[in-house]
Amino acid sequence: MRFSFRTKLMLSYLLLLFVMSVAIYIYLNHSLQESIIGSLRENLASQARLATMLVGRELHDPKIDAPRLASEIGQALAARVTIIAPEGEVIGDSGVTVDRLIELENHLWLPEVQEALKNGHGAAIRYSATLRTDMLYVAVLFDSNVLKGGVIRLALPLTAVNKAMTGMDTILGISLLLSLLLFLIFSNILARLTSYPLRQVATIATEIGQGDFRRRLPAKWHDEIGDLARIMNDMASRLEEQLTNLSAERNRLDAILTGMGEGLMVTDMDGAITLVNPAFRQLFAVNEDVIGRPLSHISRHPALHLSYRAVRENGSELQEEMIIQAGEEKTISTHWVPLVGDKGVNGVVAVFHDISDLKRLEKVRKDFVANVSHELRTPVTVIKGYAETLLEGVLAEDPARATRFVEIILNHSGRLTDLITDLLSLSELESADFNLQLQLVTLEGTIRRAFVLLEGKAEGKTITFLPPAGDLPSVMADLGRLEQVLINLVDNAVKFTPPGGSVTVGVITEGEYVRIAVRDTGPGIPADSIPRLFERFYRVDAGRSRDEGGTGLGLAIVKHIVQLHGGTVRVENNSDGPGATFSFTLKKG
Ligand code: ADP
């Protein structure tokens, strides 16, 4: 059973009162009885002394006078009077007739008689079997002319005393009950008043415990409860401060986790996820809540689980690269760190870094090196072969053949020069300190110059150049690089357009930009080649491109220059006739 502090306080007050009341009752009862009996004894003793005087004067013949005197005095005093001869023989008794006095036993050895004989007076309380009650006996020594050393004994039943005591008991009991009742009310009020601050402390402490750290206890009491209130206020302030620090720390951590480019995952010792950051969600393409879910919920990729198990079992860090399928194939560098507590590994932190782009770049670089080597090998091999044959004496033996060989060597060294020029051009465009010389450029002049430069090649194939009509807008561009773009596109158009065709250059304004399009009537571009057409060394038909003297870098250079200008490139097959249209945008001047 649970008692409130107030009830306990009240009960202790009541217990105290009860114990005190019982003690007071016992003490009062005893001392009252003592004093009543004491005064009764005194009374009886003085009456007995009066009786001795009477008996001393009136007793002439003991046999006759003693019974009479005993009866008369007994009637006058309303007590039993016994007159005892010095040998203990009862010679008169107010409660016994003369003829039956002989039946009474000798009273000499009764304690009160013995005491009276010794001290002149004596008293005793004894239960009387005849009257069935306690009796008070007082005995006094007397002398008369005829009888020396007799004893007069007065006896009074204590029923009156007992009755008085019972009355006293009732009064005491009632007053005790009343005081108990009053005390109950007062102790209730007192307990309420005493326990009020404690109850207030308990209520506010509960609110603080439930998280309301702003609550404070009134520190108005100057006692132990006041001290307790101040201690609790101190505790609440410290808790509030720590909570503020904790939440600031948490916000900082949240910001770091959110801003982190790497995916982060924390698991507990059972492999259930306890924390992931947005980058992790993006990396593994998870939208739903994963907290509390097992690792297998994220991915069933075996490498992931093997790494996790290895870290858990060995308790040491692990770094591993793995390819996972999450939406698309991704190459991920993973770093696993065990969370070590007192009882060993109790969780794992894993950082995931998507290195797919890095890998792709690495592949592009490798492919590029392989492509360049491949492109260089053919002309170098050809030049070396023909030069060796010439050295072997062809020059002297067959001058016509030798001339053809030299022409072939020249042709291939030309290809080498073109290749090296294009590679240098690309590396120049890619270098960090490359700057465009931007200026206001009129398109009419630039287009015209490109046409003039390629006129001879076009005439050889009876290809017609069609320049744009009307006034053309100006653009902000690096003149040299713009010409390079136009020449590359018009040159390609001439190269791939069959004889009798045409190459049209058109210019249209698109908001802030100007689109310049080169349209031919050639074979067009196969649909599957369109996305890769601007890659380095990509060719639709490698053999034909080489025959045409192409390096496979022209469109890559075009794309690079246009992008440096802030524009875009596009290629599409003509919808209203044969051929393709290559176009790019530049900012209006
Ligand atoms: P190349 O030096 O081989 O011309 P480019 O980068 O200029 O290199 O062009 C890449 C490839 O794009 C060419 O090999 C060719 O297959 C294709 N191509 C470019 N322009 C045209 C065009 N006008 N018509 C058809 N195919 C083209």
Side-chain angles (χ1 to χ4, degrees), residues 54-70 83 85 89 91-92 98 101 142 144-147:
L54 196 69
V55 172
R57 239 192 346 257
E58 300 270 322
L59 191 76
H60 305 295
D61 181 354
K63 280 221 185 329
I64 299 161
D65 294 332
R68 179 182 55 84
L69 280 169
I83 301 171
E89 182 197 348
I91 50 172
V98 182
L101 278 177
F142 78 91
S144 77
N145 296 333
V146 289
L147 199 71

Side-chain angles (χ1 to χ4, degrees), residues 492-493 495-496 520 523-525 533 538-541 545 550-556 582:
N492 273 354
K495 264 197 286 188
F496 293 101
D520 61 46
I525 317 291
L533 207 64
Y538 184 80
R539 298 173 172 109
V540 177
D541 180 348
S545 164
T551 60
L553 292 172
L555 287 180
F582 287 79

Side-chain angles (χ1 to χ4, degrees), residues 25-45:
Y25 172 77
I26 292 171
Y27 172 75
L28 276 182
N29 203 4
H30 181 72
S31 55
L32 255 173
Q33 202 169 11
E34 283 287 294
S35 85
I36 291 173
I37 291 174
S39 65
L40 261 182
R41 198 189 302 120
E42 280 301 311
N43 246 350
L44 220 56

